Amino acid sequence: MDESEEEFSDKSLNSDQEDSGIANRTRRKTPSKSDLKGANGGYSWEDEYQRSWDIVKEDEAGSLAGIVSGLVESKKKRVIKNATPFQRGIIRNLILVIDLSTSMLEKDLRPTRHSLTITNAIQFITEFFDQNPISQLGIIVMRNSLAQLVSQVSGNPQEHIDALKSMRKLEPKGDPSLQNALEMARGLLIHVPSHCTREVLIVFGSLLSLDPGNIHKTINSLIEERIRVQIIGLSAQVSVCKKICKRTNFGDENSYKVILNEHHFKDLMMEAVIPLPVNKINKSFTLVKMGFPYRISENSPSFCSCHSKLTYGGYICPNCKSKVCSLPTICPCCNLMLILSTHLARSYHHLIPLKNFEEVPASTNYETQYCYGCQRDFPFNTVTSSRYSCTECKHHFCIDCDVFIHEVIHNCPGCENK
Amino acid sequence: MDAITEKAFIKDDIGKPTTEESPSLLTIILDTNPTLWNQISNKFTLKSMIESLVIAINAHLALNNANQVAVIASHSDGARFFYPYKAKQQHSDQEQQERQDQPITQMENQQDSDGDNRSASPEIVAEKEKTKYVNHQMYRQFRLVDETFIESLFELFNGPIPNKPPQNSLSSSLTLALTYINKQQLLNSVLKARILVVNISPDEHLKYIPVMNSIFAAQKMKIPIDVCQIINDSTFLQQASDATNGVYLHIENLAGLIQYLTTTFFIDPSLRNILITPTSGNIDFRASCFLTGKVVDIGYVCSVCLCILSSIPKDNKCPACDSEFDNHVLMKLKKKPVVVKTKKKKRKLNDTPTPGVTPSPHV
């Protein structure tokens, strides 16, 4: 993988992490591709250094209110992105691959790359199972040129989090091997039924991969198995990563991203929580038979069919009437998938996203004086209206309600009232 | 999986030493479907329900000076706020010309709707005394809430009958309640909140996805949804209260309603781990079919859009997302349970003399 090592680009330089880890990077051969140029035509490292406090400037009246509302706005605008409904692969099977090579000891991310990656991964897992409750996940680490399975593929977030916590003590060592990790992930995903997605998410801190064989063969087999790979680079763009992502995602390069700073790292991880849209090639739609069990409570304990332990109460499979302890699960007796309808409900908003609200142009006379959601009066402001209206029901909302409606509840109260 | 679903509430608030009682917001969603209330009017009237609710509201306000109340009506034509009552402000604007008493009503309404109870001037109090529903000598904090609540209720019932077909507005009421709570919690970060749903409507016509979205949002915000279910049992509200660590009570003896309201539904969310709540352990987790609206226990779920179907659609296409299902899998689903079993049994009966089908012991 020597040639890929040479061909890298450094997009992480324009942020505030120019202290460490730079020296060894800049020593290498500089890439000559034109796509590395920044917005103003120069290289990104030739850009003027942007300090976060320079953004805040007082207006003519010496007030910060306009800036503050602008910041709130920009935060919101980052949140609202795609409201177009996609067919998404909701039942996901994802292997999270974490780099544990010596490059993860770098301190360019605070406190170290390793520590921050673990922290972000724990958050990712919590959020992943929150939003994809009927999905499965497994964790692999790349350490000492080997791929190691640290957490089996399962739907229990707590097991994964415990495994990640124990990895905090595990010191990064040696070089990573993308091929080994991908081959192992392939092995774990090969049995997954066709209506589920097969995904690999790699957090890659190194600029090299020490592989036992030809990685391109591995990529071909990944394509054959319809496994989609996403990579988050922590240092610089690596050619082979780009190739892997592009080829396994049907020519789409967006699944390979290099972080700009700590915050961006977290954002990229959280982006991976949202299920991927279904591709034309990838699609296989099926009906899955599922049972919605009812819960019982008992005065005397009875055996559960999942652990063969005496328990008080549990969920009764509607198909075979056996008792299981927790949901979602697959009934050990009749193999029926048992879930709660609330689990399904968590994924609905990915499929049926709420339309974005439009900003109401400032005027002197509005239809309403208060926010439809929280019943509070709008602030009197001539510059901006601070109102956002639903395109369907035309009700006006304040920014707090707008954000809450789109991020948490995914229902428009006005449209519900129609 | 259990860890992220049911147990989400349990670990909270145990270790924290609470020095001062934090204020609490009680949001009541009252189902005011006139037809259904009329149906049970021989047993129980909306009036006695209101009486009990008012007592419960007052009791809640009495517990802590900073406690807040919001009342939302889930009417047959949509949800609306009873308290704080903003619509009145606009409504009175229209009436201004007729009544010719602009300054007073406007001021009065603004004071009311702000929920700012302490700043009313004496003139407004004097004006308030004219209102007919609540005793004017009542403790002011109570009176402001009760008056607005009852007045808006009367206004709703005396108003024009909507010509829209009646619907179940639970989804919009829950959404409104959550947006209101969210804002109040943003303004006051220590504010605790809970929702009490007084429901009479049956599960049919319920907007499934919005209700589920609201339940999930409440679960995320750790807001318990208590359900006081009258007459018809409701599957989805059972699930709502179970998912959010709330109390679900199906009340048959309506005479003792006030006792239920002031005991079972009065438990502070932080105390729920200590007390044994009367929620029954047997909960129906069935879902509703997207096509027929029937409640199903074994359903077929589209792998793309997760819509729940009670039977396999005839054209092998998902009715919601229009994706065509894999024929092979459908065949499997259709074939298995019924056809194969009966055939085998018949064969056994008919074909026992021929040795080829079932291996006989001496072969």
Side-chain angles (χ1 to χ4, degrees):
Chain A
M1 282 303 99
D2 277 339
E3 46 317 328
S4 67
E5 221 181 294
E6 308 276 288
E7 273 182 48
F8 73 97
S9 70
D10 201 332
K11 288 194 174 172
S12 59
L13 284 180
N14 56 355
S15 60
D16 54 350
Q17 24 166 313
E18 309 196 332
D19 40 9
S20 67
I22 293 302
N24 55 2
R25 280 188 227 155
T26 40
R27 243 182 270 136
R28 306 203 177 177
K29 209 163 74 182
T30 31
S32 54
K33 282 183 189 169
S34 57
D35 58 77
L36 300 173
K37 304 245 167 125
N40 50 6
Y43 291 107
S44 54
W45 53 85
E46 289 170 346
D47 277 353
E48 203 181 314
Y49 187 77
Q50 274 197 343
R51 296 184 201 93
S52 54
W53 55 87
D54 283 346
I55 307 165
V56 182
K57 281 189 187 112
E58 291 175 355
D59 58 9
E60 304 91 57
S63 155
L64 290 172
I67 294 292
V68 170
S69 67
L71 287 177
V72 173
E73 217 102 307
S74 66
K75 194 187 169 204
K76 185 180 161 272
K77 269 167 195 154
R78 193 162 48 81
V79 169
I80 51 171
K81 261 182 245 161
N82 46 348
T84 36
F86 279 115
Q87 292 185 333
R88 292 176 190 273
I90 290 294
I91 310 171
R92 303 172 72 185
N93 282 270
L94 185 133
I95 305 293
L96 178 64
V97 181
I98 293 174
D99 189 352
L100 265 190
S101 61
T102 36
S103 65
M104 294 301 278
L105 288 170
E106 296 262 10
K107 290 193 170 66
D108 55 351
L109 302 177
R110 270 149 286 182
T112 60
R113 283 186 190 177
H114 171 57
S115 167
L116 188 72
T117 305
I118 303 285
T119 314
N120 281 346
I122 289 173
Q123 278 177 3
F124 168 77
I125 282 168
T126 320
E127 196 65 18
F128 179 83
F129 281 106
D130 219 44
Q131 299 207 16
N132 307 285
I134 44 179
S135 302
Q136 307 264 316
L137 188 140
I139 304 172
I140 292 176
V141 293
M142 297 185 286
R143 188 168 177 258
N144 247 347
S145 316
L146 294 172
Q148 248 177 299
L149 182 67
V150 285
S151 188
Q152 273 290 351
V153 181
S154 83
N156 187 343
Q158 202 49 50
E159 279 174 23
H160 300 312
I161 290 169
D162 289 344
L164 283 175
K165 277 181 182 161
S166 68
M167 265 169 53
R168 272 189 198 284
K169 290 167 205 147
L170 198 67
E171 206 188 331
K173 207 175 161 191
D175 290 314
S177 166
L178 278 176
Q179 192 186 15
N180 283 340
L182 287 173
E183 284 292 346
M184 184 178 248
R186 193 174 74 96
L188 291 169
L189 291 172
I190 208 157
H191 310 290
V192 168
S194 63
H195 62 264
C196 307
T197 65
R198 302 166 174 186
E199 296 167 51
V200 178
L201 173 66
I202 305 177
V203 180
F204 196 58
S206 314
L207 296 172
L208 59 100
S209 165
L210 212 66
D211 296 334
N214 184 355
I215 196 165
H216 294 282
K217 274 184 188 165
T218 310
I219 299 175
N220 285 338
S221 61
L222 289 176
I223 297 166
E224 239 166 67
E225 301 295 341
R226 293 188 306 197
I227 295 172
R228 301 173 74 170
V229 184
Q230 293 181 72
I231 300 178
I232 297 175
L234 298 189
S235 46
Q237 197 167 327
V238 179
S239 170
V240 74
C241 293
K242 198 172 177 179
K243 227 171 250 172
I244 293 170
C245 290
K246 190 176 175 181
R247 296 201 55 203
T248 56
N249 285 288
F250 320 106
D252 182 18
E253 285 178 18
N254 287 331
S255 51
Y256 179 41
K257 293 217 174 100
V258 180
I259 62 159
L260 300 171
N261 49 35
E262 284 98 334
H263 194 73
H264 189 220
F265 184 18
K266 200 181 161 191
D267 284 350
L268 288 179
M269 287 291 269
M270 287 305 143
E271 244 170 58
V273 168
I274 300 162
L276 293 170
V278 176
N279 280 66
K280 277 169 197 160
I281 315 148
N282 197 21
K283 68 178 169 190
S284 82
F285 308 136
T286 46
L287 279 178
V288 188
K289 199 174 173 184
M290 290 188 185
F292 302 96
Y294 55 94
R295 197 175 71 186
I296 50 150
S297 60
E298 300 161 308
N299 292 326
S300 51
S302 63
F303 284 104
C304 71
S305 54
C306 42
H307 311 97
S308 303
K309 279 181 187 157
L310 283 169
T311 49
Y312 291 96
Y315 299 92
I316 299 292
C317 167
N319 200 27
C320 64
K321 310 281 182 245
S322 57
K323 191 175 88 170
V324 292
C325 294
S326 65
L327 297 177
T329 182
I330 289 164
C331 176
C333 254
C334 62
N335 249 347
L336 183 69
M337 179 142 198
L338 301 177
I339 49 158
L340 290 181
S341 45
T342 41
H343 291 144
L344 289 181
R346 289 181 186 184
S347 303
Y348 286 146
H349 68 265
H350 292 309
L351 303 162
I352 315 157
L354 191 61
K355 277 187 185 159
N356 288 327
F357 290 173
E358 279 173 357
E359 196 171 348
V360 177
S363 84
T364 45
N365 198 13
Y366 299 108
E367 280 171 45
T368 53
Q369 297 309 312
Y370 61 92
C371 165
Y372 189 78
C374 62
Q375 307 282 305
R376 286 190 76 85
D377 289 333
F378 286 116
F380 184 74
N381 192 343
T382 46
V383 187
T384 53
S385 66
S386 12
R387 289 147 201 258
Y388 299 87
S389 80
C390 172
T391 48
E392 294 281 315
C393 65
K394 309 285 179 215
H395 283 293
H396 288 189
F397 296 92
C398 64
I399 187 146
D400 291 327
C401 285
D402 182 355
V403 171
F404 175 70
I405 285 166
H406 282 95
E407 281 186 11
V408 185
I409 197 160
H410 309 291
N411 287 341
C412 169
C415 298
E416 286 310 312
N417 232 347
K418 271 196 169 175
Chain B
M1 195 51 54
D2 217 26
I4 57 152
T5 53
E6 283 79 32
K7 300 287 187 287
F9 289 84
I10 288 173
K11 280 172 194 162
D12 262 24
D13 290 334
I14 292 181
K16 293 178 202 162
T18 42
T19 44
E20 205 173 288
E21 189 85 20
S22 52
S24 156
L25 165 67
L26 172 67
T27 311
I28 297 174
I29 296 174
L30 176 64
D31 189 347
T32 54
N33 189 325
T35 351
L36 289 165
W37 278 106
N38 189 41
Q39 274 170 18
I40 58 155
S41 56
N42 53 341
K43 276 193 260 174
F44 194 69
T45 57
L46 185 59
K47 190 168 168 254
S48 38
M49 181 78 229
I50 303 290
E51 282 169 4
S52 310
L53 273 182
V54 164
I55 296 171
I57 288 170
N58 291 350
H60 176 76
L61 291 173
L63 278 179
N64 185 338
N65 201 31
N67 273 2
Q68 296 177 29
V69 176
V71 187
I72 297 165
S74 163
H75 203 59
S76 52
D77 66 332
R80 66 204 68 210
F81 270 91
F82 273 176
Y83 181 86
Y85 193 38
K86 278 280 181 179
K88 197 172 165 188
Q89 207 170 330
Q90 288 199 319
H91 188 66
S92 64
D93 284 348
Q94 292 163 3
E95 282 183 5
Q96 269 172 17
Q97 286 86 15
E98 300 158 30
R99 282 216 242 151
Q100 295 299 321
D101 54 355
Q102 288 178 18
I104 300 169
T105 40
Q106 215 172 16
M107 267 176 78
E108 172 196 317
N109 291 327
Q110 270 165 3
Q111 292 289 356
D112 263 4
S113 43
D114 285 344
D116 191 353
N117 296 337
R118 271 165 246 172
S119 57
S121 58
E123 304 97 271
I124 291 159
V125 177
E127 179 64 27
K128 277 272 174 186
E129 282 169 12
K130 289 176 194 167
T131 50
K132 49 203 167 175
Y133 307 118
V134 176
N135 179 3
H136 65 85
Q137 284 178 332
M138 192 191 256
Y139 180 54
R140 193 162 179 283
Q141 245 91 328
F142 297 170
R143 184 164 49 81
L144 285 175
V145 179
D146 298 354
E147 235 166 36
T148 325
F149 170 34
I150 294 170
E151 270 173 27
S152 37
L153 182 83
F154 272 81
E155 197 176 290
L156 173 66
F157 275 87
N158 292 331
I161 296 161
N163 45 13
K164 279 196 279 181
Q167 53 167 12
N168 193 331
S169 326
L170 186 71
S171 59
S172 49
S173 324
L174 276 174
T175 314
L176 274 181
L178 288 170
T179 48
Y180 182 76
I181 290 170
N182 174 55
K183 184 73 174 203
Q184 295 297 326
Q185 286 189 330
L186 280 177
L187 296 169
N188 180 2
S189 55
V190 290
L191 188 75
K192 290 179 289 186
R194 65 180 199 270
I195 298 175
L196 170 62
V197 183
V198 180
N199 190 44
I200 184 168
S201 304
D203 274 347
E204 293 120 38
H205 319 298
L206 198 78
K207 290 179 187 164
Y208 182 73
I209 294 179
V211 170
M212 282 298 164
N213 276 343
S214 324
I215 293 172
F216 181 39
Q219 196 178 14
K220 257 192 166 170
M221 295 164 76
K222 308 206 168 177
I223 296 167
I225 301 178
D226 298 334
V227 182
C228 173
Q229 181 69 26
I230 299 164
I231 314 296
N232 310 297
D233 227 342
S234 164
T235 316
F236 297 120
L237 285 173
Q238 271 186 26
Q239 294 175 14
S241 67
D242 179 73
T244 57
N245 200 27
V247 176
Y248 176 88
L249 213 57
H250 179 206
I251 295 175
E252 273 142 19
N253 184 8
L254 293 159
L257 189 72
I258 182 63
Q259 193 156 0
Y260 289 122
L261 288 178
T262 50
T263 53
T264 318
F265 294 118
F266 228 63
I267 309 165
D268 191 89
S270 57
L271 294 176
R272 290 188 187 198
N273 321 320
I274 307 162
L275 296 168
I276 298 168
T277 50
T279 306
S280 71
N282 300 350
I283 291 178
D284 202 337
F285 281 112
R286 290 179 301 174
S288 79
C289 169
F290 279 34
L291 268 189
T292 57
K294 267 196 290 183
V295 181
V296 290
D297 58 358
I298 299 177
Y300 299 94
V301 177
C302 167
S303 68
V304 180
C305 68
L306 293 186
C307 77
I308 303 162
L309 302 168
S310 55
S311 60
I312 298 167
K314 277 178 191 144
D315 54 353
N316 288 353
K317 264 186 182 177
C318 172
C321 64
D322 217 35
S323 47
E324 250 176 85
F325 298 129
D326 190 9
N327 255 327
H328 187 67
V329 183
L330 284 189
M331 289 299 277
K332 261 190 196 171
L333 283 176
K334 278 181 188 167
K335 219 162 69 182
K336 249 187 197 168
V338 203
V339 189
V340 179
K341 269 183 190 169
T342 46
K343 265 186 185 170
K344 266 186 183 170
K345 272 179 190 171
K346 273 178 191 169
R347 260 184 210 162
K348 268 181 189 172
L349 287 173
N350 300 336
D351 299 351
T352 27
T354 54
V357 180
T358 45
S360 42
H362 64 266
V363 178

